[in-house]
Amino acid sequence: MTETSLAFQAPTRFGAYGGAFAPETLMAALFELERAWLEARADDGFRAELAGLLRDFAGRATPLFHARRLSDELGCEVWLKREDLLHTGAHKLNNTLGQALLAQRMGKHRILAETGAGQHGVATAAACALLGLECRVYMGAVDAARQAPNLQRMRLLGAEIALVEHGQATLKDAINEAMRDWVGEPDTTHYLLGSALGPHPFPSIVADFQRVIGEEAREQILAQAGGLPDVAAACVGGGSNAIGLFRGFVDDEEVELVGVEAGGEDVENDRHAARFASGEPGVLHGSLTYLLQDADGQVLPTHSVSAGLDYPAVGPEHAALRDAGRARYTYAKDSEALEGFQLLARLEGILPALESSHAVGWLSSEREALAKKRVLINLSGRGDKDLETVERVLGGEA
Amino acid sequence: MSDNRLETVLGELDACAIAPYVTAGDGGLDRTLAVLEALERAGAACCELGVPFSDPIADGPVLQAAAQRSLEAGTTFEGVLEVVRRFRAGGGTMPICAFSYANPILRRGWSGAARALADAGADGVLVPDLPVEEGEPLRTAALEAGLAPIFFVTPTTSDARVRRAAEASRGFLYVIGRTGITGARTELSQEADDFLAHVRGLSPVPLGVGFGIGSAEQVAAVARHARLAIVGTALVQHLHEAAMGAPDPDAAAAGAALTFVRALLEGTRVG
């Protein structure tokens, strides 16, 4: 028995939210992970290695783009942080490179990941190929069917795909399976969680590796636009791209932070994933946060046209930002996300991920309230994976 | 916490006993009641009554499927309370520990849930996704309600945390093994035996050991260090299979529970 890890060193909560509601079997691995992360982030060598990979392998810094035609259309000043241009097509690689290096540092050769839209799975598979780590990705069968191109990418990058058939066969069920796998082999395996959720220290680690988005964007918008944005907005599933953006602006009180959840078909009919609209605090996957649940504490099914936002809980830091009044959370319905997709495609020549399209759809729906304002949107991913879904929903008219 | 049936029963044991786990509402709550009564007749020392949850991350496929069947049959937290009440109303004296993931309990509030469980006639509470770091609110609420809080340790739990979990627990400390008994071996691995002996030395409360136990030989193997041999997956699967296709599935499950636990008790005599 080891005495190396007795307790967490960093705060485990964001306000009232977060914590480590994890099976005892995982606690030693969580202590070890926290310690490795705290040591690594204070280690110049680690930081330099990660920065080098982010620059030379991933393609950072990503550009900040002034979307002029979209701005003219909407009557506000729209800036896009182009995480869709990051290698593997989304912001996910920022976190997977960081955590894969942490896994190496801990001497763990086997990596587990969950994936919804497939972007985190692809980014994990790429990081594992790069660093010579074994990779197993859990994916709900429903998500695999709607994100087929990413399934192929993961396999070609050498990852083993484990399809999850039970439950709703989406992201939540993929996380359940990945956690069960980890419970069985925590000594040799690192669970590379892809969003800012799960037990401590995951929400803090993921936010730490994603804050590069907000820090870059802040410098860029000051240089390119000559000032801070009035609004910084991002889509929120688990919330990793949003927290990455918000971390850059949270101390700038004049910048309004807006998180856009998946309104699905309609928030009134329960076919959605808008946790802040109708969820209440509860515990799922190790974290106390806003959760879509029934009166008995059972987790409710969710719906979104985008696999990456189709999840019943939200990262705990977002719950704290919301309660503190520092960030505002709203939602865009499937139809509004599709409108956002089409706007960017036709006006700016960009095919965004359906997840990111929610932020653009929200912007379009609030154009009057946002008139003349400078709005920064985190364009978290690109839409190649979604072409089939978009064509199907739009009846081939896209 | 004043007099507690679980503590009393465990205090009177002079050898290892059997603690079965069953998922409440698997096959309906009438079947659960019949099974609880059969477990008492069979001589089980206490029972862990599983509250079904939609996302049981610490359970294997058998217990996941049982929870799913139970939820599909309409089991609610109130239904679980009701089956405990009916068991007590029928004269049942076997201690019952509610085994629930955190969220169904938190949904009622730690105190509200603990009081409701105690009022229904439960004696202890175990929450697999509540490590000691998060467990204080429930522990306090349970003690106030007269329920025994029970925490978990594993082979990766540090000595300091074993002590903390043991001191926070009443009745027994739940020891989970990952690499203990496999197959039908009658001996614990030396490593697992050493681990149990070590935990026993650190814990002021007796040990309940869940090592994937399903046979009398396996019970015998843990009996040297454990006060309770916890039998979950093997029993749940056995009851499900016994009920399937039987003309009276509730009676079939109850009969299977009786013979299964009696057979396991042979292991406690060997030990």
mmCIF file of all heavy atoms in Angstrom, chain A residues 269-302:
data_model
loop_
_atom_site.group_PDB
_atom_site.id
_atom_site.type_symbol
_atom_site.label_atom_id
_atom_site.label_comp_id
_atom_site.label_asym_id
_atom_site.label_seq_id
_atom_site.Cartn_x
_atom_site.Cartn_y
_atom_site.Cartn_z
ATOM 1 N N ASN A 269 -40.614 20.741 -24.114
ATOM 2 C CA ASN A 269 -41.081 19.354 -24.258
ATOM 3 C C ASN A 269 -40.061 18.326 -23.787
ATOM 4 O O ASN A 269 -40.187 17.124 -24.088
ATOM 5 C CB ASN A 269 -41.495 19.086 -25.709
ATOM 6 C CG ASN A 269 -40.282 18.928 -26.632
ATOM 7 O OD1 ASN A 269 -39.147 19.077 -26.198
ATOM 8 N ND2 ASN A 269 -40.523 18.611 -27.886
ATOM 9 N N ASP A 270 -39.037 18.773 -23.065
ATOM 10 C CA ASP A 270 -38.050 17.866 -22.472
ATOM 11 C C ASP A 270 -37.116 17.214 -23.478
ATOM 12 O O ASP A 270 -36.354 16.327 -23.115
ATOM 13 C CB ASP A 270 -38.724 16.761 -21.635
ATOM 14 C CG ASP A 270 -39.380 17.327 -20.391
ATOM 15 O OD1 ASP A 270 -38.971 18.423 -19.970
ATOM 16 O OD2 ASP A 270 -40.288 16.678 -19.856
ATOM 17 N N ARG A 271 -37.175 17.607 -24.743
ATOM 18 C CA ARG A 271 -36.249 17.042 -25.724
ATOM 19 C C ARG A 271 -35.109 18.038 -25.931
ATOM 20 O O ARG A 271 -35.031 18.731 -26.937
ATOM 21 C CB ARG A 271 -36.970 16.771 -27.055
ATOM 22 C CG ARG A 271 -38.058 15.727 -26.943
ATOM 23 C CD ARG A 271 -37.575 14.362 -27.356
ATOM 24 N NE ARG A 271 -37.131 14.345 -28.743
ATOM 25 C CZ ARG A 271 -36.300 13.423 -29.239
ATOM 26 N NH1 ARG A 271 -35.810 12.489 -28.463
ATOM 27 N NH2 ARG A 271 -35.956 13.451 -30.508
ATOM 28 N N HIS A 272 -34.221 18.142 -24.908
ATOM 29 C CA HIS A 272 -33.181 19.155 -24.962
ATOM 30 C C HIS A 272 -32.043 18.759 -24.037
ATOM 31 O O HIS A 272 -32.085 17.696 -23.403
ATOM 32 C CB HIS A 272 -33.750 20.518 -24.555
ATOM 33 C CG HIS A 272 -34.180 20.561 -23.107
ATOM 34 N ND1 HIS A 272 -33.329 20.920 -22.087
ATOM 35 C CD2 HIS A 272 -35.359 20.252 -22.521
ATOM 36 C CE1 HIS A 272 -33.968 20.839 -20.925
ATOM 37 N NE2 HIS A 272 -35.196 20.433 -21.162
ATOM 38 N N ALA A 273 -31.019 19.618 -23.962
ATOM 39 C CA ALA A 273 -29.928 19.411 -23.006
ATOM 40 C C ALA A 273 -29.575 20.751 -22.354
ATOM 41 O O ALA A 273 -28.411 21.076 -22.154
ATOM 42 C CB ALA A 273 -28.715 18.805 -23.713
ATOM 43 N N ALA A 274 -30.617 21.534 -22.016
ATOM 44 C CA ALA A 274 -30.415 22.858 -21.405
ATOM 45 C C ALA A 274 -30.496 22.699 -19.889
ATOM 46 O O ALA A 274 -31.548 22.879 -19.291
ATOM 47 C CB ALA A 274 -31.446 23.855 -21.927
ATOM 48 N N ARG A 275 -29.353 22.371 -19.282
ATOM 49 C CA ARG A 275 -29.311 22.048 -17.862
ATOM 50 C C ARG A 275 -29.701 23.222 -16.980
ATOM 51 O O ARG A 275 -30.359 23.077 -15.960
ATOM 52 C CB ARG A 275 -27.910 21.547 -17.452
ATOM 53 C CG ARG A 275 -27.549 20.185 -18.027
ATOM 54 C CD ARG A 275 -27.308 20.193 -19.538
ATOM 55 N NE ARG A 275 -26.490 21.270 -20.041
ATOM 56 C CZ ARG A 275 -25.233 21.143 -20.427
ATOM 57 N NH1 ARG A 275 -24.651 19.984 -20.389
ATOM 58 N NH2 ARG A 275 -24.557 22.169 -20.900
ATOM 59 N N PHE A 276 -29.284 24.426 -17.398
ATOM 60 C CA PHE A 276 -29.590 25.581 -16.563
ATOM 61 C C PHE A 276 -31.050 26.016 -16.715
ATOM 62 O O PHE A 276 -31.576 26.718 -15.875
ATOM 63 C CB PHE A 276 -28.658 26.746 -16.892
ATOM 64 C CG PHE A 276 -27.258 26.542 -16.373
ATOM 65 C CD1 PHE A 276 -26.171 26.564 -17.233
ATOM 66 C CD2 PHE A 276 -27.029 26.333 -15.021
ATOM 67 C CE1 PHE A 276 -24.877 26.382 -16.756
ATOM 68 C CE2 PHE A 276 -25.734 26.150 -14.534
ATOM 69 C CZ PHE A 276 -24.666 26.174 -15.412
ATOM 70 N N ALA A 277 -31.683 25.592 -17.814
ATOM 71 C CA ALA A 277 -33.075 25.977 -18.024
ATOM 72 C C ALA A 277 -34.007 25.157 -17.145
ATOM 73 O O ALA A 277 -34.978 25.675 -16.612
ATOM 74 C CB ALA A 277 -33.444 25.808 -19.501
ATOM 75 N N SER A 278 -33.722 23.870 -16.958
ATOM 76 C CA SER A 278 -34.662 23.070 -16.159
ATOM 77 C C SER A 278 -33.975 22.055 -15.243
ATOM 78 O O SER A 278 -34.650 21.249 -14.622
ATOM 79 C CB SER A 278 -35.660 22.354 -17.071
ATOM 80 O OG SER A 278 -34.998 21.424 -17.901
ATOM 81 N N GLY A 279 -32.657 22.091 -15.158
ATOM 82 C CA GLY A 279 -31.976 21.169 -14.259
ATOM 83 C C GLY A 279 -31.898 21.707 -12.845
ATOM 84 O O GLY A 279 -32.201 22.872 -12.588
ATOM 85 N N GLU A 280 -31.507 20.839 -11.930
ATOM 86 C CA GLU A 280 -31.278 21.240 -10.546
ATOM 87 C C GLU A 280 -30.010 20.555 -10.058
ATOM 88 O O GLU A 280 -29.608 19.532 -10.619
ATOM 89 C CB GLU A 280 -32.463 20.819 -9.676
ATOM 90 C CG GLU A 280 -33.723 21.607 -9.979
ATOM 91 C CD GLU A 280 -34.873 21.164 -9.089
ATOM 92 O OE1 GLU A 280 -34.867 21.537 -7.915
ATOM 93 O OE2 GLU A 280 -35.746 20.438 -9.580
ATOM 94 N N PRO A 281 -29.389 21.089 -8.993
ATOM 95 C CA PRO A 281 -28.133 20.487 -8.557
ATOM 96 C C PRO A 281 -28.272 19.001 -8.209
ATOM 97 O O PRO A 281 -29.240 18.588 -7.575
ATOM 98 C CB PRO A 281 -27.765 21.322 -7.319
ATOM 99 C CG PRO A 281 -28.382 22.651 -7.592
ATOM 100 C CD PRO A 281 -29.679 22.332 -8.287
ATOM 101 N N GLY A 282 -27.297 18.232 -8.668
ATOM 102 C CA GLY A 282 -27.267 16.805 -8.396
ATOM 103 C C GLY A 282 -25.870 16.274 -8.706
ATOM 104 O O GLY A 282 -25.002 17.034 -9.156
ATOM 105 N N VAL A 283 -25.669 15.000 -8.451
ATOM 106 C CA VAL A 283 -24.349 14.393 -8.665
ATOM 107 C C VAL A 283 -24.408 13.422 -9.832
ATOM 108 O O VAL A 283 -25.212 12.494 -9.842
ATOM 109 C CB VAL A 283 -23.879 13.638 -7.402
ATOM 110 C CG1 VAL A 283 -22.629 12.822 -7.712
ATOM 111 C CG2 VAL A 283 -23.600 14.621 -6.265
ATOM 112 N N LEU A 284 -23.573 13.670 -10.826
ATOM 113 C CA LEU A 284 -23.378 12.700 -11.902
ATOM 114 C C LEU A 284 -21.896 12.672 -12.256
ATOM 115 O O LEU A 284 -21.249 13.718 -12.322
ATOM 116 C CB LEU A 284 -24.205 13.076 -13.148
ATOM 117 C CG LEU A 284 -24.038 12.102 -14.336
ATOM 118 C CD1 LEU A 284 -24.607 10.725 -14.021
ATOM 119 C CD2 LEU A 284 -24.689 12.652 -15.600
ATOM 120 N N HIS A 285 -21.384 11.478 -12.489
ATOM 121 C CA HIS A 285 -19.997 11.297 -12.921
ATOM 122 C C HIS A 285 -19.016 12.031 -12.007
ATOM 123 O O HIS A 285 -18.065 12.647 -12.472
ATOM 124 C CB HIS A 285 -19.808 11.744 -14.373
ATOM 125 C CG HIS A 285 -20.585 10.885 -15.341
ATOM 126 N ND1 HIS A 285 -21.082 11.350 -16.525
ATOM 127 C CD2 HIS A 285 -20.936 9.584 -15.275
ATOM 128 C CE1 HIS A 285 -21.716 10.366 -17.160
ATOM 129 N NE2 HIS A 285 -21.639 9.283 -16.419
ATOM 130 N N GLY A 286 -19.280 11.987 -10.718
ATOM 131 C CA GLY A 286 -18.288 12.469 -9.774
ATOM 132 C C GLY A 286 -18.384 13.920 -9.392
ATOM 133 O O GLY A 286 -17.600 14.395 -8.580
ATOM 134 N N SER A 287 -19.340 14.647 -9.971
ATOM 135 C CA SER A 287 -19.375 16.085 -9.748
ATOM 136 C C SER A 287 -20.771 16.538 -9.342
ATOM 137 O O SER A 287 -21.768 16.072 -9.896
ATOM 138 C CB SER A 287 -18.956 16.794 -11.040
ATOM 139 O OG SER A 287 -18.686 18.137 -10.809
ATOM 140 N N LEU A 288 -20.820 17.468 -8.394
ATOM 141 C CA LEU A 288 -22.086 18.092 -8.004
ATOM 142 C C LEU A 288 -22.292 19.316 -8.878
ATOM 143 O O LEU A 288 -21.476 20.249 -8.864
ATOM 144 C CB LEU A 288 -22.026 18.500 -6.532
ATOM 145 C CG LEU A 288 -23.215 19.314 -5.984
ATOM 146 C CD1 LEU A 288 -24.519 18.558 -6.098
ATOM 147 C CD2 LEU A 288 -22.944 19.710 -4.533
ATOM 148 N N THR A 289 -23.376 19.311 -9.645
ATOM 149 C CA THR A 289 -23.586 20.397 -10.591
ATOM 150 C C THR A 289 -25.035 20.375 -11.068
ATOM 151 O O THR A 289 -25.818 19.514 -10.651
ATOM 152 C CB THR A 289 -22.618 20.262 -11.785
ATOM 153 O OG1 THR A 289 -22.778 21.403 -12.636
ATOM 154 C CG2 THR A 289 -22.882 18.997 -12.591
ATOM 155 N N TYR A 290 -25.393 21.316 -11.943
ATOM 156 C CA TYR A 290 -26.740 21.306 -12.503
ATOM 157 C C TYR A 290 -26.912 20.072 -13.376
ATOM 158 O O TYR A 290 -26.069 19.766 -14.229
ATOM 159 C CB TYR A 290 -27.016 22.581 -13.301
ATOM 160 C CG TYR A 290 -27.382 23.739 -12.406
ATOM 161 C CD1 TYR A 290 -26.399 24.418 -11.698
ATOM 162 C CD2 TYR A 290 -28.708 24.113 -12.242
ATOM 163 C CE1 TYR A 290 -26.733 25.465 -10.851
ATOM 164 C CE2 TYR A 290 -29.049 25.169 -11.391
ATOM 165 C CZ TYR A 290 -28.061 25.836 -10.711
ATOM 166 O OH TYR A 290 -28.394 26.868 -9.877
ATOM 167 N N LEU A 291 -28.036 19.389 -13.147
ATOM 168 C CA LEU A 291 -28.245 18.076 -13.748
ATOM 169 C C LEU A 291 -29.709 17.942 -14.162
ATOM 170 O O LEU A 291 -30.605 18.321 -13.401
ATOM 171 C CB LEU A 291 -27.887 17.012 -12.696
ATOM 172 C CG LEU A 291 -28.151 15.551 -13.007
ATOM 173 C CD1 LEU A 291 -27.265 15.086 -14.160
ATOM 174 C CD2 LEU A 291 -27.870 14.689 -11.755
ATOM 175 N N LEU A 292 -29.925 17.391 -15.339
ATOM 176 C CA LEU A 292 -31.294 17.076 -15.756
ATOM 177 C C LEU A 292 -31.679 15.755 -15.112
ATOM 178 O O LEU A 292 -31.120 14.712 -15.431
ATOM 179 C CB LEU A 292 -31.378 16.997 -17.288
ATOM 180 C CG LEU A 292 -31.180 18.332 -18.002
ATOM 181 C CD1 LEU A 292 -31.109 18.130 -19.512
ATOM 182 C CD2 LEU A 292 -32.293 19.314 -17.654
ATOM 183 N N GLN A 293 -32.617 15.808 -14.181
ATOM 184 C CA GLN A 293 -32.974 14.627 -13.394
ATOM 185 C C GLN A 293 -34.453 14.663 -13.070
ATOM 186 O O GLN A 293 -35.077 15.728 -13.091
ATOM 187 C CB GLN A 293 -32.152 14.604 -12.108
ATOM 188 C CG GLN A 293 -32.300 15.877 -11.281
ATOM 189 C CD GLN A 293 -31.448 15.885 -10.017
ATOM 190 O OE1 GLN A 293 -31.306 14.860 -9.365
ATOM 191 N NE2 GLN A 293 -30.879 17.034 -9.688
ATOM 192 N N ASP A 294 -35.005 13.493 -12.738
ATOM 193 C CA ASP A 294 -36.416 13.468 -12.364
ATOM 194 C C ASP A 294 -36.553 13.682 -10.850
ATOM 195 O O ASP A 294 -35.560 13.883 -10.147
ATOM 196 C CB ASP A 294 -37.102 12.183 -12.860
ATOM 197 C CG ASP A 294 -36.642 10.935 -12.131
ATOM 198 O OD1 ASP A 294 -35.969 11.041 -11.084
ATOM 199 O OD2 ASP A 294 -36.957 9.833 -12.614
ATOM 200 N N ALA A 295 -37.785 13.621 -10.367
ATOM 201 C CA ALA A 295 -38.057 13.918 -8.956
ATOM 202 C C ALA A 295 -37.372 12.916 -8.035
ATOM 203 O O ALA A 295 -37.169 13.175 -6.855
ATOM 204 C CB ALA A 295 -39.568 13.911 -8.713
ATOM 205 N N ASP A 296 -37.004 11.748 -8.579
ATOM 206 C CA ASP A 296 -36.409 10.688 -7.782
ATOM 207 C C ASP A 296 -34.881 10.661 -7.890
ATOM 208 O O ASP A 296 -34.239 9.752 -7.366
ATOM 209 C CB ASP A 296 -36.986 9.349 -8.257
ATOM 210 C CG ASP A 296 -37.399 8.464 -7.087
ATOM 211 O OD1 ASP A 296 -37.837 9.014 -6.063
ATOM 212 O OD2 ASP A 296 -37.260 7.244 -7.199
ATOM 213 N N GLY A 297 -34.322 11.633 -8.600
ATOM 214 C CA GLY A 297 -32.865 11.671 -8.728
ATOM 215 C C GLY A 297 -32.312 10.769 -9.829
ATOM 216 O O GLY A 297 -31.110 10.534 -9.889
ATOM 217 N N GLN A 298 -33.187 10.260 -10.685
ATOM 218 C CA GLN A 298 -32.697 9.501 -11.838
ATOM 219 C C GLN A 298 -32.373 10.495 -12.964
ATOM 220 O O GLN A 298 -33.079 11.488 -13.143
ATOM 221 C CB GLN A 298 -33.750 8.492 -12.326
ATOM 222 C CG GLN A 298 -34.271 7.555 -11.237
ATOM 223 C CD GLN A 298 -33.197 6.640 -10.663
ATOM 224 O OE1 GLN A 298 -32.167 6.386 -11.300
ATOM 225 N NE2 GLN A 298 -33.417 6.151 -9.452
ATOM 226 N N VAL A 299 -31.307 10.206 -13.689
ATOM 227 C CA VAL A 299 -30.845 11.119 -14.731
ATOM 228 C C VAL A 299 -31.758 10.992 -15.952
ATOM 229 O O VAL A 299 -32.097 9.884 -16.366
ATOM 230 C CB VAL A 299 -29.378 10.814 -15.091
ATOM 231 C CG1 VAL A 299 -28.901 11.736 -16.202
ATOM 232 C CG2 VAL A 299 -28.505 10.972 -13.850
ATOM 233 N N LEU A 300 -32.161 12.148 -16.494
ATOM 234 C CA LEU A 300 -33.118 12.153 -17.607
ATOM 235 C C LEU A 300 -32.409 12.010 -18.959
ATOM 236 O O LEU A 300 -31.264 12.426 -19.107
ATOM 237 C CB LEU A 300 -33.908 13.461 -17.598
ATOM 238 C CG LEU A 300 -34.931 13.615 -16.478
ATOM 239 C CD1 LEU A 300 -35.487 15.037 -16.463
ATOM 240 C CD2 LEU A 300 -36.061 12.600 -16.647
ATOM 241 N N PRO A 301 -33.118 11.451 -19.931
ATOM 242 C CA PRO A 301 -32.574 11.429 -21.296
ATOM 243 C C PRO A 301 -32.470 12.856 -21.839
ATOM 244 O O PRO A 301 -33.193 13.750 -21.394
ATOM 245 C CB PRO A 301 -33.623 10.648 -22.094
ATOM 246 C CG PRO A 301 -34.564 10.067 -21.109
ATOM 247 C CD PRO A 301 -34.441 10.837 -19.835
ATOM 248 N N THR A 302 -31.554 13.053 -22.774
ATOM 249 C CA THR A 302 -31.367 14.377 -23.363
ATOM 250 C C THR A 302 -31.510 14.271 -24.871
ATOM 251 O O THR A 302 -31.506 13.182 -25.433
ATOM 252 C CB THR A 302 -29.957 14.922 -23.059
ATOM 253 O OG1 THR A 302 -29.004 13.928 -23.435
ATOM 254 C CG2 THR A 302 -29.804 15.243 -21.592
#
